[in-house]
Amino acid sequence: MQFDDDADLDTSEVQDVRGSRVPGGRATVGGGIVGLIALLLGLFFGVGPEQLGLSSGDPDAAPTASSAAQVEEACRTGQDANDREDCRTVAVVNSVQDYWEQEFRRRQGTYTPSRTILFSDRIGTACGSATSAVGPFYCPGDRKVYLDLGFFDELRTRFGADGGPFAQAYVVAHEYGHHVQDLMGTLERSQDGRTGADSNAVRVELQADCYAGVWAHHATTTPDESTGRPLITSLTQADIRDGLDAAAAVGDDRIQERLQGRVTPESWTHGSAAQRQQWFTTGFRSGDMADCNTFR
């Protein structure tokens, strides 16, 4: 995956609070087995830690100003995105939101942008406070995406994914799929408390995978506002394979087999590895969000 070297990145869509402290409260989930269980429950869940039962302390706690806020200074151009992981995240957020803004407009709708918060260790959100152990998540309470970049190392070392730039882009695009669901009133269907292979929780997650595929289909043709040219200039079949590999690595069956030695479909919240790959592929091949109806 390559970005237009001359494109201007919009860092206003990403807030960097890495290295900051969350005032009040205490860490919600520790490391070790507790963190693994939280990750099993919460990975890419699409709702905030409060709905996952992981919140403690002040749910309104916000991080203090960060001395490590790097993206505003370091991430100026597409060339920076080609060179740095955090700048790549900014570029992917820009591309994803450019696409959905244009798609909503085409459908006579209005897209409300969502900011991504880069954090480390723990974070306070409108959905409660959480640690990095819950993985990337979207909080409908403040309509923001929360991401600890260290998760991408976990994706490779703990979950066996090949990694790569597009595996990271898939994660970001999936979370923005939840934002699209939130704007369309679909996300709330996942919050009925049910789990299992046929639950709404799984259907919402698979739809977010499909929406990530829809964006990927259009990624190299969506014009960037600053240049009128696509921000992403190259997306290869190898990139798509990395995305599919990441989707499979976080399938419920793969995670359960790794963590508990058996597969229990009645407790699924995200879908199997095969389902996650299938729905990403569905979106990628058609490029039409209408084909992402996982509730049929």
Side-chain angles (χ1 to χ4, degrees), residues 3-69:
F3 300 93
D4 178 0
D5 283 343
D6 297 323
D8 294 326
L9 300 186
D10 182 1
T11 57
S12 71
E13 295 184 350
V14 176
Q15 182 181 4
D16 186 0
V17 298
R18 291 173 292 174
S20 66
R21 296 181 59 84
V22 178
R26 57 184 176 84
T28 59
V29 182
I33 188 63
V34 175
L36 288 174
I37 293 171
L39 193 57
L40 174 62
L41 292 173
L43 191 67
F44 303 161
F45 198 80
V47 297
E50 185 176 54
Q51 286 90 336
L52 291 174
L54 302 178
S55 179
S56 67
D58 180 4
D60 296 322
T64 60
S66 172
S67 60

Side-chain angles (χ1 to χ4, degrees), residues 9 62 94 105 126 147 169 171 180 197 217 255:
L9 300 186
N94 290 172
R105 188 184 308 128
L147 173 64
V171 172
V180 170
H217 176 96
I255 295 176

Side-chain angles (χ1 to χ4, degrees), residues 149-227:
L149 293 177
F151 169 76
F152 295 132
D153 291 331
E154 295 283 306
L155 193 59
R156 290 185 298 100
T157 59
R158 181 172 290 174
F159 295 99
D162 291 336
F166 191 76
Q168 299 172 13
Y170 153 74
V171 172
V172 173
H174 174 100
E175 295 306 329
Y176 275 91
H178 288 313
H179 180 56
V180 170
Q181 292 170 327
D182 194 15
L183 295 177
M184 297 181 69
T186 311
L187 185 60
E188 61 189 19
R189 298 177 71 170
S190 69
Q191 299 175 38
D192 58 8
R194 294 180 58 247
T195 61
D198 295 322
S199 66
N200 284 340
V202 167
R203 295 178 191 276
V204 161
E205 293 300 327
L206 296 178
Q207 186 177 64
D209 283 332
C210 188
Y211 285 165
V214 169
W215 161 74
H217 176 96
H218 297 280
T220 58
T221 58
T222 298
D224 175 63
E225 289 186 0
S226 68
T227 64

Side-chain angles (χ1 to χ4, degrees), residues 18 53-54 70 77 88 93 107 135-136 145 150-151 163 167 186 221:
R18 291 173 292 174
L54 302 178
Q70 303 172 42
T77 68
R88 181 164 61 241
V93 169
R107 294 172 175 269
V145 172
F151 169 76
T186 311
T221 58

Side-chain angles (χ1 to χ4, degrees), residues 76-148:
R76 300 296 182 87
T77 68
Q79 183 174 351
D80 297 326
N82 286 321
D83 294 337
R84 290 175 56 121
E85 182 182 64
D86 50 1
C87 299
R88 181 164 61 241
T89 300
V90 174
V92 171
V93 169
N94 290 172
S95 175
V96 169
Q97 298 212 100
D98 281 345
Y99 169 70
W100 286 116
E101 182 177 6
Q102 293 167 35
E103 178 64 12
F104 270 58
R105 188 184 308 128
R106 188 180 73 83
R107 294 172 175 269
Q108 286 75 55
T110 301
Y111 177 80
T112 303
S114 168
R115 182 179 267 188
T116 286
I117 310 299
L118 300 183
F119 74 99
S120 55
D121 298 328
R122 60 179 177 141
I123 189 73
T125 81
C127 297
S129 54
T131 69
S132 301
V134 301
F137 62 91
Y138 172 76
C139 172
D142 54 26
R143 288 186 165 173
K144 294 178 182 178
V145 172
Y146 291 87
L147 173 64
D148 185 329

